[in-house]
Amino acid sequence: MANLQTFERTEYQQVKADLHRKILDRLDLEKLGRTPSDAAREEVLLLIRNTVNSEAVPLSFAERERLSREILDEIFGLGPLEPLLKDPTISDILVNRYNKVYVERAGKLEPTGLSFKDDAHLMQIIDRIVSRIGRRVDESSPMVDARLADGSRVNAIIPPLAIDGPCLSIRRFGRDPITARNMIENKSLTEPMLELLSAMVKGRLNFLISGGTGAGKTTLLNVLSSYIPNSDRIVTIEDAAELQLKQEHVVRLETRPPNIEGKGAVRQRQLVINSLRMRPDRIVVGEVRGEEAFDMLQAMNTGHEGSLTTVHANTPRDALARIENMCSMANLNIPERAMRHQIAAAIHAVVQVSRLSDGTRKVITIAEVTGMEGDVICMQDIFVFDRQGIDETGKVRGAFRANGIRPKFADRLATAGCRLRPALFESRMEV
């Protein structure tokens, strides 16, 4: 056969597996471990090419090179995932089954046509990922969160919980972090909105970034964290480390899952409480999911102004309701009105981000928390994105609009040296 198109997928995978096994038999793995990684890769690639060329396989030169690279990825990397991890345009890699691999580009999902040999091959790659950071995945612990060397977040779930075989999800983080300028060029927000948000960070306001899965909450948090002064001591708390703060005075904390006996877990709430003893100027929680929300509010109310966090919610009001629900998980029997008063006192604003139907991500609302009226937390929208429909190419049309309302916290910002221009709250931009 002259080319790979006439090669059945299963036959190709079998040839690759056989060659992989032969090459492993010829390698001195102990010696390889002592060799610098680049030199080891070159040495192994030469051996692979010689082995492939010596085999009577019906492949062209280009196909033999591809086969050599794939076997090299099997030995040193993550197999079929390696070319996807090298593609900067891919933001998510989703393995539904060993033979169904999807990626997300520009907010849209698409199939790749790539495949693992079988479930065992996929399990081998999952084990390789999680073992590098001291985690494990097996029948007694069939779910795991991990991260790759480049900071990408990994979630794996295997049988018996995953009915059709092992399932792997990788959330990518680009080598070059998105900047505020990138967000303006991508029309995720406008210059006046960024001016307001940067002033809120510099002026030490507490606010939430709210949105759905994949809406860009962590990306926006990374962008806004760049406005924190370099002199501030920052403590970050995350389930899986994703934040990329550039300041010098940063302490990064990460939760720990239970060990094989089910002991030793360290939850976010414990880290938030511990962080208060570390003399932080600001506390940044990657995402509040449970009872740690109450301790986060306490920190915001007791001298740790300028603290930031994200929360899963569809609207700013839903975000505050979720915070209230999470605080109730702490079982402190605080009256509902007192809890809402704490929320209204601690949080100055909610920034809502959303991934729209065309795959674009936008800041759709910046809402100020103005206080309490009776038992209700009052809010007012400072900036909104008005959706006006979809054009013939499927792109969402709309306009960023200021509501003409000067926020109540403007005086507080002015006291901190961050004066807001009156024209800021009269802007409008079509996209």
Side-chain angles (χ1 to χ4, degrees), residues 77-78 81 116 119-139 141-144 146-148 154-158 166-168:
L78 301 180
L81 299 179
F116 294 83
D119 284 343
H121 183 199
L122 176 53
M123 273 302 303
Q124 181 185 345
I125 298 300
I126 292 173
D127 282 332
R128 188 173 297 175
I129 292 171
V130 301
S131 62
R132 287 175 180 174
I133 60 164
R135 301 280 174 88
R136 64 186 178 83
V137 60
D138 51 36
E139 279 196 15
S141 178
M143 293 186 294
V144 68
R147 66 177 181 274
L148 300 178
V154 179
N155 177 270
I157 183 165
I158 67 170
C167 181
L168 181 68

Side-chain angles (χ1 to χ4, degrees), residues 16 89 97 131 141 143 157 197 203 216 223 225 231 234 248 253 260 304 313 341 359 406 420 431:
K16 189 168 80 170
T89 66
R97 293 186 62 197
S131 62
S141 178
M143 293 186 294
I157 183 165
L197 291 172
V223 169
S225 70
S231 57
I234 308 164
E248 292 179 10
L253 306 179
I260 197 165
H304 300 91
H341 183 79
R406 183 176 181 270
L420 301 175
V431 295

Side-chain angles (χ1 to χ4, degrees), residues 239-260:
D239 264 341
E242 300 170 4
L243 296 174
Q244 299 168 315
L245 274 64
K246 301 301 181 188
Q247 288 80 357
E248 292 179 10
H249 208 156
V250 178
V251 178
R252 304 171 72 211
L253 306 179
E254 186 179 41
T255 59
R256 187 176 72 182
N259 60 20
I260 197 165

Side-chain angles (χ1 to χ4, degrees), residues 210 313-324 350 352 365 367-371 375-381:
S210 165
N314 294 325
T315 67
R317 189 158 291 282
D318 286 349
L320 296 186
R322 279 215 69 210
I323 292 292
E324 185 180 339
V350 180
Q352 185 71 35
T365 312
E368 179 187 18
V369 178
T370 57
D375 291 338
V376 179
I377 299 174
C378 297
M379 305 179 75
Q380 60 182 9
D381 292 344

Side-chain angles (χ1 to χ4, degrees), residues 284-425:
V284 179
V285 178
E287 182 185 335
V288 287
R289 293 187 175 92
E291 66 269 21
E292 69 273 6
F294 177 77
D295 301 287
M296 187 72 189
L297 288 180
Q298 294 289 89
M300 290 174 170
N301 271 324
T302 55
H304 300 91
E305 294 95 349
S307 295
L308 307 172
T309 187
T310 72
V311 63
H312 269 85
N314 294 325
T315 67
R317 189 158 291 282
D318 286 349
L320 296 186
R322 279 215 69 210
I323 292 292
E324 185 180 339
N325 290 338
M326 288 187 278
C327 288
S328 67
M329 295 179 188
N331 295 321
L332 298 171
N333 297 319
I334 297 174
E336 188 178 84
R337 180 182 170 84
M339 182 63 70
R340 289 178 183 172
H341 183 79
Q342 282 229 21
I343 293 171
I347 298 171
H348 299 104
V350 180
V351 181
Q352 185 71 35
V353 294
S354 181
R355 181 171 60 177
L356 306 183
S357 57
D358 60 357
T360 58
R361 295 168 170 86
K362 296 190 188 300
V363 176
I364 59 172
T365 312
I366 301 176
E368 179 187 18
V369 178
T370 57
M372 294 275 292
E373 275 191 18
D375 291 338
V376 179
I377 299 174
C378 297
M379 305 179 75
Q380 60 182 9
D381 292 344
I382 310 300
F383 283 95
V384 295
F385 176 71
D386 287 331
R387 279 174 258 201
Q388 298 164 353
I390 298 175
D391 65 17
E392 60 279 0
T393 64
K395 190 168 181 60
V396 174
R397 310 305 304 175
F400 290 105
R401 172 176 55 82
N403 278 344
I405 299 171
R406 183 176 181 270
K408 290 186 175 183
F409 57 63
D411 292 335
R412 176 178 172 143
L413 293 182
T415 305
C418 303
R419 297 189 177 276
L420 301 175
R421 297 179 293 112
L424 211 63
F425 308 108

Side-chain angles (χ1 to χ4, degrees), residues 157-189:
I157 183 165
I158 67 170
L161 301 186
I163 297 170
D164 296 323
C167 181
L168 181 68
S169 306
I170 300 177
R171 170 68 54 84
R172 298 287 310 287
F173 294 97
R175 291 181 178 85
D176 300 317
I178 290 177
T179 63
R181 181 52 49 191
N182 296 146
M183 295 194 77
I184 289 172
E185 289 168 355
N186 296 338
K187 298 181 179 177
S188 296
L189 42 59

